[in-house]
Amino acid sequence: MEPLSLHFLHEKAGARFGAVGGRETVAGYGDSEGEYRAAKASVALHDASYRETLRITGEDRASYLHGMVTQEVNNLPVGTATYAAMVTVKGAMVADARILKRESDLLLDLEPGTGAKVREFLDKYLISEDAELHEATGELALLRLLGPRTADVLSAALGSPHAPLSHHTARTATLAGQEVWLLGNTAIEPHGVDVWVPRASLEDVWRALSEAGTAHGLKPLGFEALELLRVEAGVPRYGQDMVDTTIPLEANLANAISYNKGCYIGQEVIARATFRGHMNRKLTGLLLGDADVAPGTELRRGEKKVGWLTSVVQSPVAGQRVALGYVHRDSLEPGTELTLAAGPATVKVASLPFSA
């Protein structure tokens, strides 16, 4: 397992550790309820340095990647990001990625454990283009701020007013004497900002943000609390809710697909599925009540298997256990009752995101 760069610092803070994709994470700091509340009501700081980074350079980098992913890259403005999927010629997912376009390169932010697979996929189709792939996880790392006081913390840490960033917009800043990229990330929390930091400066930036957040109620946020926020927001995660047999449209990834960009690997399958107008199954929300079940649990309607669970959490917003899961299109109507595995417990299909 690849340890966190700041393992020693988190250990001193009473962290409990876990792993995702073969890389170490902080599972929590002993107060998951407080961590969750901070992200909702004040501000929380999450060490996301377990995520992997790939960098692409060369004159043809944008046109090359444009033909490899489901999203627009050629016309993406410098200093902005986009979310994309990579799919096989059969339309099944290889991985997902957030792509940041900088003046001299492209950065791909990847789920832990997917970096080697993504590089192999991209390498396979790199023939004569002037583009070069660089493993950059050892160079760059992500920290994540969530919560309504995020702008206050960044203003204090930067020593000047921080204007909120909309989703996927970015700018550079100097933090703890180091140039960083600030990237709006409102997918699971409307004030979220990711801080892309040179890994050698990770400790200095973490400490600067932590100190700046003292007056604003900042708490460190573990992976388990982050997962709770993610599931409540209805955002799927590759490796948990999406795997290498998932077609992006099944996982509600319409925001990762451009229908005006022209050809890319797997484009015909995605276009055909879109034209057909439906998928046989889709990711949806499920209200579980107090049923204590695990991801992978089968969902049935009568005698027929109609789906399965992928992520399960105890949701303060919904006041019960909730899940993400795949359900057959004939059973997707909110309020539809399904049976868990062999029964007798029943659950209800719910719209996403979850609400009280």
Side-chain angles (χ1 to χ4, degrees), residues 21 46 70 76 92 121 208 220 298 304 314 332 338 342:
H46 177 68
T70 57
L76 184 68
F121 173 74
E298 188 176 289
K304 185 179 179 183
Q314 177 69 41
L332 278 171
L338 305 175

Side-chain angles (χ1 to χ4, degrees), residues 246-305:
T246 305
I247 295 173
L249 292 168
E250 295 176 329
N252 304 322
L253 298 192
N255 63 325
I257 300 169
S258 168
Y259 293 102
N260 304 311
K261 61 168 286 184
C263 294
Y264 57 88
I265 304 299
Q267 184 257 348
E268 289 184 6
V269 176
I270 301 297
R272 204 159 51 236
T274 302
F275 179 76
R276 195 170 64 228
H278 65 77
M279 301 299 298
N280 284 334
R281 62 184 179 232
K282 291 200 80 173
L283 193 73
T284 190
L286 295 139
L287 302 174
L288 306 183
D290 59 1
D292 188 7
V293 289
T297 299
E298 188 176 289
L299 296 167
R300 304 187 71 85
R301 191 174 185 184
E303 297 300 313
K304 185 179 179 183
K305 178 183 176 181

Side-chain angles (χ1 to χ4, degrees), residues 317-334:
V317 163
Q320 59 182 298
R321 290 179 71 77
V322 301
L324 300 180
Y326 287 94
V327 173
H328 190 272
R329 59 190 172 89
D330 292 340
S331 300
L332 278 171
E333 183 68 26

Side-chain angles (χ1 to χ4, degrees), residues 45 153 156-157 176 203-218:
L45 176 61
V153 172
E203 181 181 353
D204 290 342
V205 174
W206 175 275
R207 290 188 185 279
L209 290 171
S210 298
E211 289 167 11
T214 300
H216 303 288
L218 181 144

Side-chain angles (χ1 to χ4, degrees), residues 146-320:
L146 304 97
R149 307 300 296 273
T150 291
D152 296 326
V153 172
L154 284 171
S155 295
L158 296 169
S160 60
H162 166 76
L165 288 162
S166 59
H167 192 53
H168 283 164
T169 59
R171 61 173 172 263
T172 58
T174 300
L175 209 166
Q178 180 63 55
E179 183 177 278
V180 302
W181 278 86
L182 305 178
L183 178 59
N185 183 2
T186 63
I188 65 173
E189 198 285 317
H191 310 90
V193 173
D194 284 354
V195 186
W196 226 322
V197 184
R199 193 168 287 269
S201 302
L202 193 58
E203 181 181 353
D204 290 342
V205 174
W206 175 275
R207 290 188 185 279
L209 290 171
S210 298
E211 289 167 11
T214 300
H216 303 288
L218 181 144
K219 282 185 175 290
L221 180 80
F223 186 80
E224 291 174 358
L226 182 68
E227 282 287 275
L228 171 51
L229 292 160
R230 177 187 70 78
V231 173
E232 286 186 335
V235 176
R237 178 168 65 83
Y238 188 86
Q240 184 70 35
D241 310 287
M242 302 178 286
V243 294
D244 58 8
T245 56
T246 305
I247 295 173
L249 292 168
E250 295 176 329
N252 304 322
L253 298 192
N255 63 325
I257 300 169
S258 168
Y259 293 102
N260 304 311
K261 61 168 286 184
C263 294
Y264 57 88
I265 304 299
Q267 184 257 348
E268 289 184 6
V269 176
I270 301 297
R272 204 159 51 236
T274 302
F275 179 76
R276 195 170 64 228
H278 65 77
M279 301 299 298
N280 284 334
R281 62 184 179 232
K282 291 200 80 173
L283 193 73
T284 190
L286 295 139
L287 302 174
L288 306 183
D290 59 1
D292 188 7
V293 289
T297 299
E298 188 176 289
L299 296 167
R300 304 187 71 85
R301 191 174 185 184
E303 297 300 313
K304 185 179 179 183
K305 178 183 176 181
V306 295
W308 66 94
L309 306 181
T310 57
S311 291
V312 181
V313 297
Q314 177 69 41
S315 167
V317 163
Q320 59 182 298

